[in-house]
Amino acid sequence: MTTTATAKTITEQTGARTDEAATLIGDARERIDALDDRIIGLIQERVAISTVIQEARISSGGRRVNLAREMEVLGHYRDALGKPGTALAMTMLELCRGRI
């Protein structure tokens, strides 16, 4: 039997009304948190690689940003994820431009 205090905790933490739903939501949130950690790690890796590319481009006399390449990336994300993919790609590109 669930006590009132436990029920409030379940509702507050997950929005669920049953222990079964709360467990399902809790497990799914753990998976999402793990995925988020992996995504963040991949973005950090992408930032590091982009820095190498930008430094090579600048040291060879080129520009820091290659707009044609950025358009390719935007199109790739848009094609894969729809309109929100474009916004996601814009944010990722902003992170990757860095402060060289």
Side-chain angles (χ1 to χ4, degrees):
M1 180 174 204
T2 305
T3 67
T4 304
T6 304
K8 286 181 183 177
T9 301
I10 292 169
T11 300
E12 289 171 1
Q13 292 179 353
T14 66
R17 302 288 178 166
T18 66
D19 289 342
E20 182 180 305
T23 299
L24 178 80
I25 291 167
D27 292 346
R29 284 182 177 172
E30 285 179 18
R31 290 173 48 210
I32 286 173
D33 290 345
L35 287 169
D36 286 344
D37 289 341
R38 288 172 47 199
I39 291 167
I40 290 167
L42 290 169
I43 291 171
Q44 289 170 331
E45 183 178 350
R46 191 185 196 289
V47 168
I49 294 168
S50 291
T51 300
V52 170
I53 291 169
Q54 290 174 50
E55 288 172 350
R57 192 180 298 121
I58 291 168
S59 69
S60 71
R63 303 176 96 191
R64 181 173 62 93
V65 176
N66 181 329
L67 295 178
R69 172 62 179 152
E70 288 195 357
M71 293 306 294
E72 289 176 18
V73 172
L74 290 170
H76 181 67
Y77 274 71
R78 182 190 59 245
D79 292 347
L81 302 172
K83 186 177 178 181
T86 303
L88 178 62
M90 288 294 293
T91 300
M92 188 206 42
L93 289 170
E94 182 179 349
L95 287 167
C96 289
R97 286 186 195 118
R99 292 174 176 79
I100 294 176

